[in-house]
Amino acid sequence: MGKPTKQRRKGQVAAKATGPSGAGMALVKNNPFEVKINKQKFNILGRRTKHDVGLPGVSRSKAVKKRTQTLLKEYKEREKSSVFKDKRFGEYNTKISPEEKMMKRFSLERQQTHEKKSIYNLNEDEELTHYGQSLADIEKLNDVIDSDSDNEERGILSAELTAAHFGGGGGLLRRKALIGEEDEEEEKPKSRKELIEELIAKSKQEKRERQTQRENALELTEKLDTDWKEIQTLLSHKTPKSERKDKEEEKPKPDEYDMIVRELGFEMKAQPSDRMKTEEELAKEEQERLQKLEADRLRRMHGKDEQENKKKPKHMSADDLADGFILDKDDRCLLSYKGGKLNVGNEEEEGGNEEEEGESEEESEGEPGREDEEEAIVEEDDATDSPSDLESDMGSEEEVTANEEQKKKHKGNEKKLQSEEEENAKIEAARSELPYTFTVPESYEKLKSLLFGRIIEEQLVILERIQKCNHPSLAVGNKAKLEKLFGFLLEYIGDLATVEPPELRTIDKLVLPLYSLCQMFPEAASNSVKFVLQDAAHEMEEMIEVKGRATFPGLDMLIYLKITAILFPTSDFWHPVVTPALVYMSQLLTKCQVMTLQDVIKGLFVCCLFLEYVSLSQRFIPELINFLVGMLHIAIPQKRLQSYTPVHPFKPAGKNSKLLLVCDKKDMETWQKQNLPLSIMTRLKESSKTEMNHFRLSCLAVCLDLIKKCAALYKSLSSFHEIMQPIRALLTEHIPVSEYPKQLQELHQNALKEIEDKGKHYTPLVCEKKKPVPLKLYTPKIVKVLEFGRKQGGSKEEQERKRLIHKHKREFKGAVREIRKDNQFLARMQLSEIMERDSDRKRKVKNLFNSLATQEGEWKAMKRKKFKN
């Protein structure tokens, strides 16, 4: 029973293998009762019919077939990276039409086939084709006989074919052998010598043909020239003048447009200008210029002559042909007649003779005794020629020559002295000049030794030359050196501020090189200024811890705050340098007590800096308003603290509560408005009582001016009147305005007017907390009823939304169903792969066991034989 069941199972497996998707499906006959037919009730135009005849298993077999073509293919190629790409021209370019693609592909193919084999073979001809066939083969008229054409000789066998198939093969083979030998003789390759000889013969033949063509062309041109000369005499007929004038008059005058066009044509065209040089090129040129000037200065300082540095003439050998000789001057002699005789000479020689004659005349004029002596000698020579006379003449000549030599020596000594004095003057002038090249000072002491004690202009020149000679683009370490120079220069400015008296003009001029260095190295500059601010803040904190109160800093720190506003932008919301500076200034106004007039001046200076910092951003500074209230508080005689309260560091009453109070009417009458310079702080101790009162009134005038500027700046704030209420109360109720001079009264009125002036206040835009309630509308609500008995949505948008939701659900379910079927299909494929691998492994194991069993049997048989033997 076991065997038939095994066969039956095998048959079932075979039937499954030849199921709907296999080849056995063609043998199965469909049952007509299993065919499902969906009848269509009525035809509708424009609608695709879904009522098809469905066979059992057909749709499933289609789906499996489609998955095997797509999903199974992707599954099998999941680990493969090779991709076929169509690299034909324009295959993926949709902008090119198919005709253009075909034409371009054909032209590219022609280019590949017709490339020259040798670039030096000029006689190589290009092969012409027609529909892919060579024109040379077409001209041979080797037409191929078409098998479909109706020809009389159709069906007739050739002699060669009959001999090959029906006997006579030996004769045909002999004939073929003879034909092959002839072809070999014809197609025998030529040697190199023969090819070169053929090439030479062809080139000579072409040369002869070109020569003959050239000669024929020359003959024809000569003949044409002779014929033209004969005809030209007939054509040269001049028209009379009257006709020519008529033609000229008939010519139209040029239009204004034509004249402008001609003028534009003759105008000068723009010449190309030189390109703009880069910053590195300009720095290099400036460095070379300064180095050249410095070398010239050193040469003059050492007393070297310019002619020594000039290039000496090069040595010329005897074999030199002097190819580069240029005649600078005309050395030809001039011919002239003078006194009936031929005179040959140069203008320069004549000029030289004239100069010599002039010198001799001057010498004769300067020595009248000498002329008389010469005249006496001449007269004696003319009168007598005795030996004694000759001896006397010789003695007088020796005396004259000796005098001349002494005079020449004296003149030479004078000239030497003058030249030495001039050289010494040049050397001193060169030493007094500033050097043109400088190295960057490595320490603050070196910078101070370079700048201190010099005038402002020289200091600026030194700093400028340091920057030009050590530009960052000229060397690698120049950037770090110039970054240190910024810190040294900042420290030097601080030292100038602490000198008695402070050199404020020099500081004002030194801000320019400081600004240029800040622009070149902004990060290093910001770090240096932040370090200064940090030190000042630490000093203030230490002073508060030790003494319990802080004092205003020195003039150097105030100048640093002023320089910060020049070097860095103050309108930023947050800045790494300006923001700490603002915090430090606010601490100065709140923590530093006002003890003397110097503190008052420093506080007012900080207030001016605050207004400069916030002029663009219009940031509100409460410390500024409180300090101005305190300034007005210490200027009133009677303290009534009903409408205002002074804030620290000011006290309601005490020793320093009347620093700005002036009681002397004479001093008030003699006061005149003037600016308060920073250098005044060093002179307050040595000033008289009248000067002190004048300083107090000037401080009060500055305070009123600051109040006016603050009112103009913060006028747009919504709480402006609440902020300025204490200042208004002090100005209207407490300050004795009637006792002050007229200029102070005017300032008081202007400040009060600016405070009481009502500017335009704009409330900020704010979103409403609740949505406004709409008005009730009485229009009827219309709802479309599409299907009776079924409730529909209220509006069209709601119906569309429901339709889309329903469509989304349907598509989602279909997508999930298809994904589930794809996963099942892939699982079946994976299972079949695993089963196939397992069966293959079992087969191999079985074969291995069988081979081992046979080996074991053979081994045992051999062992038995040995045992028997």
Side-chain angles (χ1 to χ4, degrees):
M1 287 296 290
K3 201 168 184 179
T5 56
K6 197 171 183 181
Q7 289 177 353
R8 199 180 302 114
R9 285 176 186 169
K10 287 183 178 178
Q12 289 175 359
V13 171
K16 283 183 181 179
T18 59
S21 61
M25 184 180 174
L27 302 174
V28 179
K29 194 171 183 180
N30 293 324
N31 189 355
F33 294 100
E34 292 179 352
V35 176
K36 185 179 178 182
I37 301 172
N38 296 324
K39 291 184 179 180
Q40 189 176 2
K41 295 180 180 179
F42 44 85
N43 295 325
I44 299 172
L45 293 174
R47 182 183 290 182
R48 294 177 64 184
T49 57
K50 299 180 182 179
H51 308 282
D52 297 330
V53 176
L55 298 175
V58 173
S59 60
R60 186 183 175 190
S61 64
K62 286 182 180 179
V64 171
K65 188 176 180 181
K66 191 173 181 181
R67 285 191 177 90
T68 52
Q69 291 175 356
T70 57
L71 191 62
L72 184 61
K73 191 175 180 181
E74 291 179 2
Y75 175 72
K76 287 180 179 180
E77 293 179 355
R78 66 187 183 278
E79 295 178 355
K80 294 182 181 180
S81 60
S82 59
V83 179
F84 290 98
K85 290 184 179 180
D86 194 351
K87 293 187 177 181
R88 291 180 295 174
F89 176 80
E91 183 63 26
Y92 301 104
N93 194 352
T94 57
K95 296 180 181 179
I96 303 174
S97 62
E99 291 81 6
E100 292 177 355
K101 290 181 186 177
M102 297 302 293
M103 291 294 291
K104 188 65 179 177
R105 288 174 187 173
F106 180 70
S107 63
L108 291 172
E109 188 177 358
R110 289 286 302 277
Q111 287 178 7
Q112 292 176 359
T113 54
H114 293 293
E115 286 181 354
K116 283 193 171 186
K117 296 178 182 177
S118 176
I119 60 173
Y120 300 105
N121 192 358
L122 302 176
N123 297 322
E124 184 178 352
D125 295 331
E126 189 176 339
E127 186 180 1
L128 301 176
T129 58
H130 179 68
Y131 286 101
Q133 296 181 356
S134 177
L135 292 177
D137 296 339
I138 293 171
E139 289 175 356
K140 291 179 182 179
L141 302 176
N142 295 330
D143 295 335
V144 181
I145 297 172
D146 191 4
S147 61
D148 296 335
S149 62
D150 297 331
N151 199 354
E152 294 178 355
E153 298 179 358
R154 183 179 178 185
I156 299 173
L157 299 176
S158 63
E160 296 176 357
L161 189 64
T162 53
H165 289 278
F166 304 106
L172 182 63
L173 290 173
R174 282 195 299 275
R175 187 178 175 188
K176 283 187 177 180
L178 292 171
I179 292 167
E181 289 176 0
E182 291 175 359
D183 292 342
E184 285 179 0
E185 290 177 358
E186 289 178 358
E187 296 179 359
K188 187 177 181 181
K190 296 179 182 180
S191 64
R192 179 179 177 81
K193 188 176 180 182
E194 291 175 354
L195 290 171
I196 291 170
E197 287 176 355
E198 285 182 3
L199 186 63
I200 293 168
K202 283 182 180 179
S203 62
K204 285 182 178 179
Q205 185 179 358
E206 290 175 357
K207 190 175 181 182
R208 282 195 295 272
E209 289 176 357
R210 288 197 297 271
Q211 186 68 23
T212 53
Q213 289 177 2
R214 196 182 296 111
E215 290 174 357
N216 294 332
L218 287 171
E219 289 177 1
L220 289 171
T221 52
E222 288 177 359
K223 186 179 179 183
L224 187 63
D225 290 340
T226 53
D227 294 342
W228 170 250
K229 286 178 182 178
E230 292 176 359
I231 299 168
Q232 191 176 10
T233 55
L234 301 173
L235 294 174
S236 60
H237 175 66
K238 292 183 179 180
T239 56
K241 291 183 179 181
S242 61
E243 294 180 3
R244 269 187 270 170
K245 286 181 181 180
D246 295 338
K247 287 181 180 179
E248 288 176 359
E249 290 176 357
E250 289 175 0
K251 284 182 181 178
K253 293 182 179 180
D255 194 7
E256 291 182 1
Y257 177 77
D258 297 335
M259 292 171 68
I260 293 168
V261 169
R262 289 176 186 174
E263 288 176 1
L264 290 173
F266 286 109
E267 276 187 356
M268 288 289 291
K269 293 184 179 178
Q271 297 295 331
S273 59
D274 296 335
R275 69 175 182 83
M276 295 288 287
K277 293 182 180 179
T278 60
E279 187 179 355
E280 290 78 9
E281 292 174 351
L282 292 172
K284 185 70 175 175
E285 288 181 1
E286 188 65 21
Q287 185 194 30
E288 290 174 355
R289 186 182 71 83
L290 292 173
Q291 287 176 354
K292 188 176 179 182
L293 291 172
E294 179 62 15
D296 190 16
R297 188 188 71 84
L298 292 173
R299 180 187 55 74
R300 286 187 280 107
M301 191 173 70
H302 294 300
K304 294 180 181 179
D305 193 6
E306 293 182 2
Q307 295 179 357
E308 294 180 3
N309 296 331
K310 290 184 178 178
K311 292 183 179 179
K312 295 180 180 179
K314 293 181 181 179
H315 173 70
M316 294 178 68
S317 64
D319 299 330
D320 194 359
L321 299 175
D323 295 332
F325 175 73
I326 298 172
L327 185 64
D328 294 332
K329 297 179 181 180
D330 193 1
D331 296 336
R332 290 175 294 178
C333 299
L334 297 174
L335 298 176
S336 61
Y337 285 93
K338 191 173 183 181
K341 294 180 181 180
L342 184 65
N343 184 18
V344 181
N346 263 337
E347 289 180 359
E348 293 179 359
E349 291 178 1
E350 290 175 1
N353 295 334
E354 288 174 1
E355 289 176 0
E356 290 175 1
E357 289 172 2
E359 289 177 0
S360 62
E361 287 174 1
E362 288 175 359
E363 289 177 359
S364 61
E365 288 174 1
E367 298 174 3
R370 184 183 172 188
E371 287 181 358
D372 297 337
E373 288 176 0
E374 289 176 356
E375 288 175 2
I377 291 165
V378 172
E379 288 175 358
E380 288 176 358
D381 289 336
D382 293 339
T384 58
D385 293 331
S386 61
S388 61
D389 295 336
L390 291 171
E391 288 176 2
S392 64
D393 292 340
M394 291 292 290
S396 62
E397 286 178 2
E398 289 176 359
E399 291 175 1
V400 170
T401 53
N403 293 330
E404 288 178 356
E405 288 177 0
Q406 288 179 359
K407 289 178 180 179
K408 286 180 180 178
K409 286 180 181 178
H410 183 66
K411 288 182 179 179
N413 293 330
E414 288 180 354
K415 287 181 180 178
K416 283 181 181 179
L417 290 171
Q418 289 178 359
S419 62
E420 287 178 0
E421 289 177 358
E422 289 176 357
E423 286 180 1
N424 292 330
K426 288 181 181 179
I427 290 168
E428 291 298 327
R431 286 177 180 171
S432 62
E433 284 183 13
L434 284 174
Y436 289 95
T437 57
F438 290 93
T439 58
V440 182
E442 296 179 356
S443 62
Y444 170 67
E445 287 75 15
K446 291 184 179 180
L447 178 68
K448 191 173 181 181
S449 63
L450 275 175
L451 301 180
F452 196 74
R454 297 182 182 271
I455 60 174
I456 300 172
E457 290 76 11
E458 289 183 354
Q459 293 183 24
L460 293 175
V461 169
I462 289 170
L463 291 171
E464 184 182 0
R465 288 177 182 175
I466 287 172
Q467 292 182 35
K468 289 180 178 178
C469 295
N470 301 276
H471 196 269
S473 62
L474 300 175
V476 178
N478 287 349
K479 183 180 178 182
K481 292 178 181 178
L482 290 176
E483 286 177 354
K484 291 181 181 178
L485 180 65
F486 181 87
F488 297 156
L489 190 57
L490 202 65
E491 189 175 354
Y492 179 68
I493 288 172
D495 286 351
L496 291 177
T498 55
V499 176
E500 291 292 338
E503 299 182 7
L504 297 178
R505 291 186 179 179
T506 307
I507 293 171
D508 188 22
K509 297 292 184 181
L510 289 175
V511 172
L512 293 174
L514 199 69
Y515 181 79
S516 63
L517 287 171
C518 180
Q519 294 298 313
M520 291 173 69
F521 314 108
E523 189 174 355
S526 62
N527 291 334
S528 300
V529 178
K530 280 194 291 185
F531 182 74
V532 172
L533 293 172
Q534 190 175 1
D535 282 352
H538 284 311
E539 286 179 4
M540 184 188 293
E541 290 175 1
E542 289 176 359
M543 191 179 295
I544 292 171
E545 289 178 1
V546 174
K547 296 182 179 180
R549 59 183 178 83
T551 58
F552 281 93
L555 185 58
D556 54 348
M557 194 60 212
L558 298 177
I559 288 173
Y560 285 150
L561 293 171
K562 175 68 177 177
I563 290 172
T564 304
I566 298 171
L567 298 182
F568 302 102
T570 57
S571 60
D572 293 354
F573 181 74
W574 184 88
H575 193 272
V577 181
V578 177
T579 305
L582 286 169
V583 173
Y584 177 69
M585 287 193 294
S586 62
Q587 289 177 354
L588 289 178
L589 295 182
T590 53
K591 294 183 179 180
C592 298
Q593 292 185 358
V594 181
M595 307 290 288
T596 60
L597 277 176
Q598 293 179 352
D599 297 338
V600 171
I601 294 170
K602 290 177 182 178
L604 290 173
F605 181 75
V606 174
C607 293
C608 293
L609 287 178
F610 257 127
L611 286 176
E612 185 179 351
Y613 273 63
V614 301
S615 60
L616 291 175
S617 61
Q618 295 184 355
R619 188 176 298 172
F620 176 64
I621 308 294
E623 293 86 359
L624 174 62
I625 304 297
N626 292 333
F627 192 84
L628 293 176
V629 170
M631 286 287 105
L632 294 176
H633 171 71
I634 61 177
I636 58 177
Q638 295 178 359
K639 313 295 182 185
R640 291 177 295 174
L641 306 177
Q642 295 178 358
S643 56
Y644 72 96
T645 52
V647 187
H648 189 271
F650 298 97
K651 297 178 180 179
K655 182 181 177 182
N656 302 317
S657 61
K658 295 182 180 180
L659 278 175
L660 295 182
L661 182 62
V662 180
C663 300
D664 196 349
K665 294 184 179 180
K666 292 181 180 180
D667 295 339
M668 288 185 183
E669 292 175 358
T670 57
W671 175 80
Q672 290 182 355
K673 186 183 177 183
Q674 58 181 359
N675 295 325
L676 285 175
L678 290 175
S679 59
I680 203 171
M681 289 185 291
T682 59
R683 294 180 288 164
L684 285 174
K685 295 178 182 178
E686 301 175 358
S687 57
S688 61
K689 185 179 179 181
T690 305
E691 290 178 351
M692 294 289 285
N693 288 332
H694 288 175
F695 289 149
R696 290 188 180 95
L697 293 173
S698 298
C699 291
L700 189 59
V702 172
C703 181
L704 292 172
D705 194 12
L706 288 172
I707 289 169
K708 180 183 175 183
K709 290 180 180 178
C710 288
L713 186 65
Y714 300 133
K715 191 180 290 186
S716 59
L717 296 176
S718 58
S719 59
F720 170 71
H721 293 287
E722 290 79 5
I723 292 168
M724 303 302 289
Q725 178 61 33
I727 295 175
R728 187 190 297 108
L730 282 166
L731 291 176
T732 54
E733 299 175 5
H734 300 282
I735 289 180
V737 185
S738 59
E739 298 176 1
Y740 289 152
K742 290 184 178 180
Q743 293 179 346
L744 269 179
Q745 291 178 8
E746 290 177 1
L747 287 172
H748 176 269
Q749 290 176 2
N750 293 333
L752 196 60
K753 184 179 179 182
E754 193 72 33
I755 292 170
E756 292 176 351
D757 187 14
K758 294 181 180 180
K760 294 182 179 179
H761 300 290
Y762 301 100
T763 56
L765 295 174
V766 181
C767 295
E768 294 184 3
K769 294 181 180 179
K770 292 183 180 179
K771 192 176 180 180
V773 180
L775 297 172
K776 290 184 179 180
L777 302 176
Y778 296 100
T779 54
K781 188 176 182 181
I782 299 170
V783 179
K784 286 186 179 181
V785 180
L786 301 177
E787 294 181 9
F788 293 97
R790 186 175 179 183
K791 192 176 181 181
Q792 298 294 324
S795 62
K796 189 176 181 181
E797 288 79 7
E798 192 175 352
Q799 292 176 6
E800 185 70 18
R801 181 173 169 274
K802 287 182 179 179
R803 188 181 66 79
L804 290 174
I805 290 169
H806 177 68
K807 188 176 180 181
H808 174 263
K809 285 182 180 178
R810 187 174 67 248
E811 294 293 334
F812 182 75
K813 287 180 181 178
V816 170
R817 185 169 57 251
E818 291 297 323
I819 290 168
R820 192 181 293 115
K821 289 181 180 179
D822 290 344
N823 292 333
Q824 291 173 359
F825 177 77
L826 288 174
R828 285 197 300 272
M829 292 298 107
Q830 291 173 359
L831 182 62
S832 63
E833 286 180 359
I834 292 167
M835 295 292 289
E836 188 176 354
R837 284 199 301 270
D838 291 346
S839 62
D840 192 12
R841 184 176 61 80
K842 286 179 182 178
R843 182 180 57 76
K844 288 180 180 178
V845 169
K846 190 175 181 181
N847 292 336
L848 185 63
F849 275 112
N850 290 335
S851 63
L852 290 173
T854 53
Q855 287 179 8
E856 188 179 4
E858 290 176 358
W859 182 75
K860 286 180 179 179
M862 288 174 65
K863 198 172 181 182
R864 287 194 202 99
K865 285 181 181 180
K866 286 181 180 180
F867 182 74
K868 286 179 181 180
N869 294 332

